[in-house]
Amino acid sequence: MIVEDDHTLRTVVGDFLRAGGFRVAQFPDGLSARDALRGELPDVLVLDRMLPGVSGDELCRQARAASDQLPIIMLTALDAVEDRIDGLEHGADDYVTKPFALRELQLRISATLRRTRAAEAAPYTVGRFRVEPGRRRVWLGEREIALTAREYELLFYLTQHPDRVVSRDEILREVWGWSFGDPATVTVHVRRLREKIECDPGLPQFLLTEWGAGYRFTPAAESTC
């Protein structure tokens, strides 16, 4: 849900997020957004602080009172440190100041959703891997895999996208939260992860390299050990 009184900005943000795969509901003022929030809550609420009808601060307080778990991102031109602190104290989880890059907002939304869903997700099995997100633990068959925090986050992301090619840039964005960085960082962590999940890291069966494209995680592969 996007609540923004600037028609052009609201439209541009909405169109960009839809192009990125999000379903978007848009509202031009606090009153209409408040009425909508009395029904089904969104996965993420993005709102301006200075809104007609009901202010963004008041809308944030009401939304937070309705749900402790609803992720709220404030989008505003108020960029002083005290403004940021004030916005967070009203119940916001994140604070993005104008002007901003559309891609940055999208990454922040994705990161917020990932953290929220990871904490709430029920244990699940994909192929030969079992994941317990609440405990941040992973098993391969009957064997628990000892993982560092980043290795767990990488493997968790891969189990969410089985049998799909993911690029190193995508992994940097979605796992590290970086809009740019050294892809070699991913290469090193993939190598370390292979050492823990593959019988022969030099001939991987679960975590394959797709040359020129990235990696493909095949959790149902037959293992020789």
Side-chain angles (χ1 to χ4, degrees), residues 153-217:
E153 290 165 2
L154 174 58
L155 185 54
F156 176 78
Y157 184 75
L158 293 172
T159 63
Q160 297 289 302
H161 302 85
D163 301 307
R164 179 171 77 80
V165 176
V166 293
S167 68
R168 289 190 293 177
D169 286 342
E170 177 182 342
I171 292 172
L172 278 176
R173 290 193 308 267
E174 303 300 334
V175 179
W176 271 256
W178 297 352
S179 56
F180 59 89
D182 186 356
T185 302
V186 176
T187 304
V188 171
H189 280 80
V190 166
R191 175 174 54 79
R192 291 175 179 170
L193 190 55
R194 280 174 172 158
E195 291 173 352
K196 296 185 177 184
I197 68 174
E198 303 285 359
C199 293
D200 182 352
L203 295 172
Q205 295 173 301
F206 296 116
L207 186 46
L208 310 178
T209 297
E210 297 285 345
W211 296 106
Y215 303 99
R216 184 192 301 274
F217 179 62

Side-chain angles (χ1 to χ4, degrees), residues 16 35 59 71 94 125 190 215:
F16 185 84
D35 291 342
L59 189 62
D94 202 353
T125 299
V190 166
Y215 303 99

Side-chain angles (χ1 to χ4, degrees), residues 6 9 13 19 33 36 38 49 64 71 91 97 100 102 112 115 117 142-143 158 162 176 186 199 204 222:
D6 185 308
L9 179 58
V13 171
R38 288 171 177 165
R49 288 191 71 177
R64 180 56 68 226
T97 58
F100 60 91
L102 292 170
T112 298
R115 288 192 298 268
R117 289 171 177 169
E142 299 298 320
R143 175 174 64 88
L158 293 172
W176 271 256
V186 176
C199 293
E222 291 295 329

Side-chain angles (χ1 to χ4, degrees), residues 10-26:
R10 185 174 67 250
T11 301
V12 169
V13 171
D15 289 348
F16 185 84
L17 292 177
R18 288 190 186 93
F22 293 89
R23 289 183 296 114
V24 182
Q26 296 168 256

Side-chain angles (χ1 to χ4, degrees), residues 103-112 173-174 178-179:
R103 185 61 178 147
E104 177 189 3
L105 177 61
Q106 184 186 45
L107 287 172
R108 291 193 185 215
I109 291 172
S110 296
T112 298
R173 290 193 308 267
E174 303 300 334
W178 297 352
S179 56

